[in-house]
Amino acid sequence: MSDTPKARGLKVDKIRGEIFRRRLVEIGAFDRSRKIRSEGEDLYLPILELSAGADEELAKIGEFEVVLTVFDDEPPKETVEGLIGRKPSFEVVGEIAILEDPDEEAAAAIMAVHRNVRAVISPLSAVEGEFRTRRFRPVAGEARTATIHKEHGLRYRIDLERAYFTPRLGTERLRIAELVRPGEAAFDIFAGVGPFALLMAKRGARVVAVDKNPDAVRLLRENAALNRIEDIVILEADASDLAEEFEKRADRIIMNLPHIGHDFLGVAMRIAKKGGVVHYYAIAPEDDLFGRDTAFVEEAARASGVEVEILRRAVVRSYAPHRYNIVIDFRVEKPSKEAVAPPSL
C-alpha cells in the first residue's frame, strides 16, 4: 500500500459513510476504480473532482474532510454498459429489474450482471391513478411484479403493480431516520408499503402510518410483522379525514406524495405540534426548483394561521428530463397563544 500513489478522498464518520457514498454516486463524484477503506471510526471514500455546489450538498449530510490518501485499486467489474455498449435506464427492486424500455438485449445483460435478478419488467404506463401505481409487461425471466426488497436492515414485501415503491429514495429515507429522536410521534401520511414509517419505528419513533390504498396497507402490515415491528399504528384512510382526530399530535410528518402533496399541507400543519417538523416532497421543474413549492408552504401556513420556518431545501433525485424530486423541510410554529397539550398516542 505504501507504494500506491495518493488520491483524493472524503474522510467521514463511519456511521454516516453509506449516506455519503450514495450521495457521491448520485452526483457522479464517487471513484469506482478505488476501494473504500476504514481507519478506526473514520471511513475514506475515493472521489473524483467535486462539482460546484457539491461541498454544500455534502455538508447537509454531516461533517467531512477532503484529503489526499492511499486507496487500493478496485478490480473492474462487469457492467451492463460494458456488455452492450450503451447505458440503459433501469433500477433493481429485490429480485426484479425495472427497465424503462422493453429492450430484450438490455434485459439479458441485466440478468447476466445482476445474478440475483429473476425478472425484468418494463412499465406500460407512468405512475397513474388514485394509488400512484404502474402497469408492467414482462421482458425477461419470470413474469411477476412481487418481490422482497432489502434496505437499511429491513425487508419489504413489494408488489410493484399494487403499491408504488422506488429504491431511489433509500438515501433520503435513511436521512430522515437519522433525524428521529426515540419516543417522538412521527406520522407518515402517505405511507405506502412502509419504507419511511418502519425505518422511523426501528429508530424508536412512535409511528402512525396512513395510506388509502388497501393493497399498500396490507403489504405495510405484512412488512411490520416481517421485521417484528409492533410499536406502530397502521391505518387505511385518507389523511384528510384524520386531521381532527390527530390535531397537534405530531413531532414529525412525512409527506411523500410528490405530485399532489401540496393539497395536504393544511392537514400536515393541523396535525403538527408546536415545533413539529414536516418533510414535504414534490416534483419541480429545473427552472423553478423551490419557488413554487415554497410558495405553497407559505400560503398553507397563512391559511392555517401558523408560521413556518424553512429548515432545508434540496434535490433528492432526478425524476425526468429537466424535472426533479425535491424536499422542503420546515418547522411549524403555532400562534403565540399555547394550545392545550394533546393526549399521548
Side-chain angles (χ1 to χ4, degrees):
M1 195 177 208
S2 59
D3 296 330
T4 307
K6 290 184 177 181
R8 285 165 57 84
L10 213 66
K11 179 183 176 183
V12 302
D13 188 298
K14 192 178 290 185
I15 293 174
R16 297 181 181 272
E18 177 59 13
I19 304 177
F20 274 105
R21 188 197 68 80
R22 286 176 177 267
R23 192 69 186 118
L24 287 167
V25 170
E26 289 168 359
I27 64 177
F30 184 71
D31 185 353
R32 297 179 185 273
S33 70
R34 294 182 170 90
K35 291 183 177 180
I36 297 170
R37 72 177 182 86
S38 63
E39 188 176 298
E41 296 302 314
D42 298 321
L43 203 66
Y44 293 84
L45 305 172
I47 61 172
L48 305 170
E49 194 69 31
L50 294 177
S51 60
D55 283 3
E56 182 179 346
E57 187 63 30
L58 292 170
K60 294 173 182 175
I61 300 174
E63 294 183 0
F64 69 91
E65 181 183 353
V66 177
V67 297
L68 283 176
T69 189
V70 174
F71 295 100
D72 286 337
D73 290 337
E74 182 74 72
K77 295 179 180 178
E78 188 178 51
T79 65
V80 174
E81 185 177 7
L83 285 178
I84 63 175
R86 48 195 166 81
K87 191 174 183 179
S89 176
F90 72 96
E91 60 186 23
V92 176
V93 179
E95 295 180 326
I96 298 174
I98 304 171
L99 180 62
E100 286 306 311
D101 297 313
D103 182 330
E104 292 184 2
E105 183 185 26
I110 290 168
M111 294 190 73
V113 171
H114 297 270
R115 303 303 172 91
N116 64 308
V117 169
R118 297 288 178 266
V120 181
I121 60 177
S122 182
L124 285 167
S125 68
V127 176
E128 62 184 5
E130 184 180 18
F131 298 147
R132 299 186 301 151
T133 55
R134 287 192 289 179
R135 291 171 287 116
F136 295 92
R137 77 184 80 181
V139 182
E142 300 171 9
R144 61 180 170 109
T145 57
T147 188
I148 292 182
H149 182 77
K150 298 177 182 179
E151 183 179 283
H152 307 315
L154 296 177
R155 293 180 295 163
Y156 299 95
R157 296 189 191 279
I158 292 165
D159 189 325
L160 294 162
E161 283 196 328
R162 299 285 184 176
Y164 180 79
F165 178 85
T166 175
R168 295 181 65 198
L169 290 179
T171 301
E172 178 66 9
R173 291 189 275 264
L174 187 58
R175 179 185 77 87
I176 299 299
E178 293 218 329
L179 297 174
V180 166
R181 304 182 309 275
E184 75 174 24
F187 281 61
D188 186 350
I189 61 176
F190 313 113
V193 301
F196 276 104
L198 295 178
L199 193 55
M200 290 191 296
K202 184 182 178 184
R203 296 299 175 105
R206 295 174 299 134
V207 176
V208 176
V210 182
D211 205 286
K212 65 189 298 186
N213 177 353
D215 286 318
V217 172
R218 173 182 56 80
L219 289 165
L220 174 51
R221 294 187 192 281
E222 290 181 12
N223 291 333
L226 185 64
N227 292 285
R228 299 179 181 178
I229 293 174
E230 299 178 352
D231 191 12
I232 184 170
V233 176
I234 298 172
L235 301 173
E236 181 184 330
D238 188 312
S240 298
D241 297 334
L242 301 175
E244 183 175 355
E245 179 182 356
F246 292 105
E247 188 167 6
K248 302 182 182 70
R249 298 279 292 275
D251 295 299
R252 189 176 308 280
I253 301 170
I254 308 299
M255 298 187 66
N256 184 29
L257 191 66
H259 292 282
I260 59 169
H262 57 272
D263 291 338
F264 296 84
L265 280 163
V267 174
M269 291 176 189
R270 189 172 177 186
I271 291 174
K273 293 179 181 178
K274 184 181 189 303
V277 173
V278 179
H279 305 282
Y280 163 78
Y281 296 88
I283 304 299
E286 185 176 57
D287 58 358
D288 183 20
L289 282 174
F290 305 112
R292 180 197 63 179
D293 287 282
T294 299
F296 283 149
V297 171
E298 292 171 345
E299 289 165 11
R302 284 193 293 271
S304 302
V306 300
E307 295 181 358
V308 296
E309 177 190 359
I310 303 294
L311 303 175
R312 182 176 188 266
R313 295 184 289 193
V315 172
V316 176
R317 59 169 178 146
S318 102
Y319 180 76
H322 308 295
R323 289 169 64 79
Y324 293 87
N325 194 171
I326 65 158
V327 61
I328 299 177
D329 296 347
F330 62 90
R331 180 180 290 114
V332 177
E333 300 294 347
K334 299 297 181 183
S336 56
K337 185 177 179 181
E338 287 288 335
V340 176
S344 60
L345 284 175

